[in-house]
Amino acid sequence: EETGAIELVMAEALNNIVEHGYPDPKNGGPISIYCEHGTKGLNIKLVDNGLPMPNGKTPAGLAINTDVELKDMPEGGFGWFIIKDLAEDVAYTRTLDTNRLDLRIAITFSAKN
């Protein structure tokens, strides 16, 4: 279950960087991923040089109403809800031309001897 949460958060966050941070496939850029298992879970830092987040902050990540006709179902907008639902301490900063997204996923696994 914990591995699935990590996979979902990472897939959504990385997809957002690729799709929105580097929208032109001909002008992509690097994405750095840093992970550390701390006392309160898995600390993840994603760093890129893509476009900044609109308004300098992450989207609200509110649940989307899915109680609609199939033809009216939104195609996107679920990513930030998933990230903010599964991750703790979500923080975004932009310094010069660098985006940084810090996340903590509360997990209990430990290294095996």
Side-chain angles (χ1 to χ4, degrees), residues 21-100:
Y22 297 118
D24 182 355
K26 295 177 185 167
N27 292 314
I31 301 171
S32 298
I33 303 170
Y34 305 91
C35 297
E36 177 184 44
H37 187 225
T39 57
K40 294 184 177 181
L42 184 64
N43 300 305
I44 301 169
K45 176 172 61 173
L46 302 172
V47 179
D48 68 82
N49 300 112
L51 298 174
M53 293 256 193
N55 303 317
K57 57 185 177 181
T58 63
L62 302 174
I64 293 175
N65 180 13
T66 56
D67 190 23
V68 295
E69 295 287 329
L70 184 59
K71 65 178 180 59
D72 297 325
M73 186 71 68
E75 288 188 34
F78 297 95
W80 280 106
F81 173 76
I82 291 170
I83 292 169
K84 290 187 174 183
D85 187 52
L86 296 175
E88 311 286 332
D89 305 328
V90 177
Y92 168 75
T93 55
R94 172 85 175 180
T95 305
L96 300 175
D97 65 346
T98 302
N99 296 306
R100 176 176 166 168

